[in-house]
Amino acid sequence: MFFAYILKSHQDGRFYYGSSEYMDARLKSHNAGKVRSTKSRRPWSVHYFESFQTKSEALLREKFFKSIEGYRFLKSKGIT
């Protein structure tokens, strides 16, 4: 399984969009400060995720989340 996920910063309430095969390990990396783009806004928690059979599906969904259409979709669902 592969995941497209949205993390929420406990520090400033902002979101981070990503994808990974191992979501728990990836969250630990974010919270350990090993990811440069999220290091300064720790700690993080999983706010939303979707699972997929392939890596390419998860990457496409991550890209969708980052688009204006994805933002509107997430907003309509009350996710962001």
Side-chain angles (χ1 to χ4, degrees):
M1 289 301 248
F2 294 87
F3 302 92
Y5 59 86
I6 300 172
L7 302 180
K8 186 173 185 177
S9 169
H10 290 255
Q11 184 181 59
D12 61 11
R14 292 174 59 193
F15 297 101
Y16 174 84
Y17 306 92
S19 59
S20 178
E21 184 174 6
Y22 304 103
M23 193 168 60
D24 291 338
R26 188 67 174 148
L27 177 62
K28 287 179 184 176
S29 293
H30 285 289
N31 283 325
K34 295 180 180 179
V35 180
R36 185 173 57 170
S37 60
T38 61
K39 186 177 183 176
S40 64
R41 297 187 282 144
R42 295 179 286 169
W44 294 91
S45 61
V46 176
H47 184 67
Y48 179 77
F49 73 93
E50 295 178 0
S51 58
F52 299 92
Q53 292 295 319
T54 66
K55 182 178 182 177
S56 60
E57 289 175 308
L59 288 170
L60 284 172
R61 194 59 168 178
E62 175 189 350
K63 187 175 180 179
F64 172 73
F65 288 159
K66 293 176 179 179
S67 71
I68 191 65
E69 295 86 10
Y71 173 79
R72 289 178 184 143
F73 166 79
L74 294 168
K75 187 134 178 118
S76 73
K77 300 289 185 190
I79 296 168
T80 59

